[in-house]
Amino acid sequence: MNRLALLALTALLSQASAVTITIATVNNPDMVTMQKLTPEFNKKYPDIQVKWVTLPENELRQKITLDVASGAGSFDLATVGAYEVPIWAKNGWLEPLTPLFGKYPDIARSYNLADVLPGVRGALTVGGSLYAVPFYAESSMTYYNKDLFKAAGLTMPAQPTWTQIQTFASKVHNPAKGVYGVCLRGLPGWGENMALFSTMVNTFGGRWFDQGWQAQLNTPAWKSAMTFYVNLVKKYGPPGATGNGFTENLTLMSQGKCGMWVDATVAAGFLSDPSSSKITKSVGFAKAPVGTTPRGNNWYWSWNLAIPKSTKQEDAAFKFLTWATSKDYIALVAKTKGTWASVPPGTRTSTYQNANYRKAAGAFSGLVLSSINSADVNKATKDPVPYTGVQYVAIPEFQALGTQVGQYLAGALSGQYTVDQALKLSQDAANKTAREGGYQK
């Protein structure tokens, strides 16, 4: 057999032995980068071909949920949020990863699970087994305009209280000049206004349900939190706040129109980037505010890679999953993009110890790390609860319930409801959810 024929035969045999994995992922920038770097994965694992299904978040969640719940097996890997992981794990929809790390000791050694931030690992662990690994993680923090604070003679403490936030807002609020004391999410949604408001409820000593799954939304803690939120945003927030979510407030803050903003840690990079922010030299950073208790003041979220139970290519999927969330992958992104500021944040201790990353994100990297580490999905409330989650309740029904309560909260902010009316409607909705879901005995 001549050399050309031998090469052709080798290629054919290689194709015949190759496996193909299908990955469903959200179309955010970090995941698009992962898709573009697939050829680097193929260099390491030439016998594994990768097919991508990239979708907007809502469509992705719907498609993956239907697929894994039915066991259809369309996807071998899926991008799954921190909210879904414990729910899907308990439903038996995800493959536990702990046995796979045991099966591949070489991968386990190079991957180094101990390097993954403890709080991030904990949120993805159910019954002692890991069910997903993080690609990107975030918490929440306080941003403020140092120039506005200096002009008003104010000093932001490292750990502000909500009462201090209100006082500061009153001092820098100047709508005649297009400056608002504080910008907070008002757009209804379980992942919009309720993400922020639920952390406020936590620090005011509130919880969604007691240990018997009786709703707790008509309690003094919830009333204090909602009254405070409504008054704060009405007095010192921008007009039309019920239409402002993360994106709208990011724009306002980056244009110098907000004295303060409490939101996701991922915004630190945007506000520090001259191409997207006018306040790069005046933006300051502090911890997320606390109320009567520090419990649950900063939320936790992550996008993660998980293997559906219905996959037929478990080993190949595991190899991609560990490659795309590894320390080496993070370095590869930095090299490809030419800056460490662009790497997936919030997942590994080594990222925050890296001198290059600290140089690129030094003003906020330490605070982001401590915020993520302190966000505990298992201890987010003053009193005990039967659920996990900081800014959400990890039950399937919460997407609908959280959005419904978010609409009532927005109604109280816009004047459609009084706070008491909004709380009664919210309490009734929460109890109805608990009864119909079979949580209440």
Side-chain angles (χ1 to χ4, degrees), residues 204-222:
F204 276 63
R207 53 184 173 168
W208 281 83
F209 298 97
D210 67 15
Q211 288 190 294
W213 285 99
Q214 297 298 315
Q216 300 293 299
L217 284 70
N218 62 349
T219 56
W222 269 78

Side-chain angles (χ1 to χ4, degrees), residues 32-313:
V32 172
T33 297
M34 178 171 61
Q35 185 174 352
K36 288 179 179 177
L37 290 174
T38 304
E40 297 297 323
F41 171 76
N42 292 137
K43 288 179 184 177
K44 186 171 184 178
Y45 296 106
D47 59 336
I48 302 175
Q49 303 303 311
V50 181
K51 179 183 175 184
W52 290 89
V53 177
T54 309
L55 298 165
E57 182 175 336
N58 289 340
E59 190 178 345
L60 173 83
R61 184 171 278 120
Q62 184 179 12
K63 251 188 174 28
I64 295 177
T65 303
L66 182 62
D67 190 80
V68 298
S70 64
S74 303
F75 307 119
D76 303 294
L77 265 179
T79 303
V80 183
Y83 163 76
E84 287 91 357
V85 171
I87 298 171
W88 291 10
K90 289 173 184 175
N91 286 346
W93 296 350
L94 299 178
E95 197 67 45
L97 302 181
T98 303
L100 288 169
F101 277 104
K103 183 178 179 180
Y104 292 98
D106 289 345
I107 291 178
R109 275 193 296 273
S110 63
Y111 190 83
N112 188 11
L113 269 173
D115 186 40
V116 178
L117 300 178
V120 178
R121 275 203 323 273
L124 306 175
T125 300
V126 178
S129 189
L130 190 70
Y131 280 86
V133 287
F135 187 82
Y136 151 86
E138 70 175 22
S139 186
S140 54
M141 62 196 290
T142 301
Y143 303 98
Y144 65 101
N145 189 309
K146 292 189 288 186
D147 289 346
L148 293 175
F149 266 56
K150 185 178 180 180
L154 303 173
T155 301
M156 174 68 77
Q159 175 60 83
T161 66
W162 276 111
T163 301
Q164 287 174 319
I165 293 292
Q166 185 180 50
T167 300
F168 296 153
S170 71
K171 303 292 186 184
V172 299
H173 189 60
N174 193 350
K177 292 189 176 180
V179 174
Y180 307 100
V182 64
C183 295
L184 299 177
R185 296 187 187 191
L187 184 68
W190 75 277
E192 282 288 0
N193 63 348
M194 291 310 297
L196 181 281
F197 184 66
S198 291
T199 64
M200 186 182 287
V201 168
N202 292 340
T203 72
F204 276 63
R207 53 184 173 168
W208 281 83
F209 298 97
D210 67 15
Q211 288 190 294
W213 285 99
Q214 297 298 315
Q216 300 293 299
L217 284 70
N218 62 349
T219 56
W222 269 78
K223 184 169 183 177
S224 295
M226 190 175 290
T227 301
F228 183 90
Y229 168 88
V230 169
N231 289 340
L232 178 63
V233 179
K234 273 187 175 179
K235 286 182 179 179
Y236 307 119
T242 55
N244 293 345
F246 170 81
T247 304
E248 293 77 13
N249 284 324
L250 172 61
T251 300
L252 287 168
M253 186 72 194
S254 65
Q255 291 177 348
K257 296 182 180 297
C258 304
M260 294 169 291
W261 178 37
V262 182
D263 216 294
T265 54
V266 71
F270 299 132
L271 293 174
S272 303
D273 183 351
S275 69
S276 59
S277 173
K278 294 179 180 178
I279 62 165
T280 54
K281 294 181 179 179
S282 60
V283 61
F285 310 96
K287 293 181 180 179
V290 298
T292 57
T293 173
R295 280 280 179 90
N297 69 314
N298 52 297
W299 71 61
Y300 171 79
W301 182 256
S302 63
W303 280 117
N304 316 280
L305 291 178
I307 303 175
K309 197 82 171 178
S310 52
T311 181
K312 302 291 192 299
Q313 306 294 347

Side-chain angles (χ1 to χ4, degrees), residues 218-437:
N218 62 349
T219 56
W222 269 78
K223 184 169 183 177
S224 295
M226 190 175 290
T227 301
F228 183 90
Y229 168 88
V230 169
N231 289 340
L232 178 63
V233 179
K234 273 187 175 179
K235 286 182 179 179
Y236 307 119
T242 55
N244 293 345
F246 170 81
T247 304
E248 293 77 13
N249 284 324
L250 172 61
T251 300
L252 287 168
M253 186 72 194
S254 65
Q255 291 177 348
K257 296 182 180 297
C258 304
M260 294 169 291
W261 178 37
V262 182
D263 216 294
T265 54
V266 71
F270 299 132
L271 293 174
S272 303
D273 183 351
S275 69
S276 59
S277 173
K278 294 179 180 178
I279 62 165
T280 54
K281 294 181 179 179
S282 60
V283 61
F285 310 96
K287 293 181 180 179
V290 298
T292 57
T293 173
R295 280 280 179 90
N297 69 314
N298 52 297
W299 71 61
Y300 171 79
W301 182 256
S302 63
W303 280 117
N304 316 280
L305 291 178
I307 303 175
K309 197 82 171 178
S310 52
T311 181
K312 302 291 192 299
Q313 306 294 347
E314 177 185 277
D315 289 4
F318 180 72
K319 288 173 182 176
F320 187 93
L321 169 147
T322 47
W323 172 81
T325 60
S326 66
K327 182 179 176 180
D328 289 344
Y329 175 85
I330 291 172
L332 176 63
V333 173
K335 180 182 177 182
T336 303
K337 294 206 166 188
T339 172
W340 272 86
S342 297
V343 304
T347 60
R348 288 181 170 267
T349 301
S350 57
T351 300
Y352 292 89
Q353 292 175 340
N354 185 289
N356 293 314
Y357 182 77
R358 289 163 71 173
K359 183 179 179 181
F364 55 82
S365 62
L367 180 56
V368 171
L369 177 61
S370 64
S371 296
I372 292 172
N373 278 338
S374 66
D376 189 343
V377 298
N378 297 304
K379 295 179 181 177
T381 56
K382 180 175 74 72
D383 297 319
V385 293
Y387 57 86
T388 61
V390 181
Q391 78 280 21
Y392 55 79
V393 177
I395 58 174
E397 297 85 356
F398 184 74
Q399 291 185 56
L401 172 61
T403 296
Q404 191 174 8
V405 174
Q407 290 166 344
Y408 298 141
L409 176 64
L413 183 58
S414 67
Q416 181 184 356
Y417 304 118
T418 65
V419 167
D420 285 339
Q421 288 171 333
L423 288 171
K424 184 182 185 309
L425 290 166
S426 299
Q427 171 78 0
D428 291 346
N431 269 327
K432 184 171 184 285
T433 296
R435 281 195 308 272
E436 292 181 352

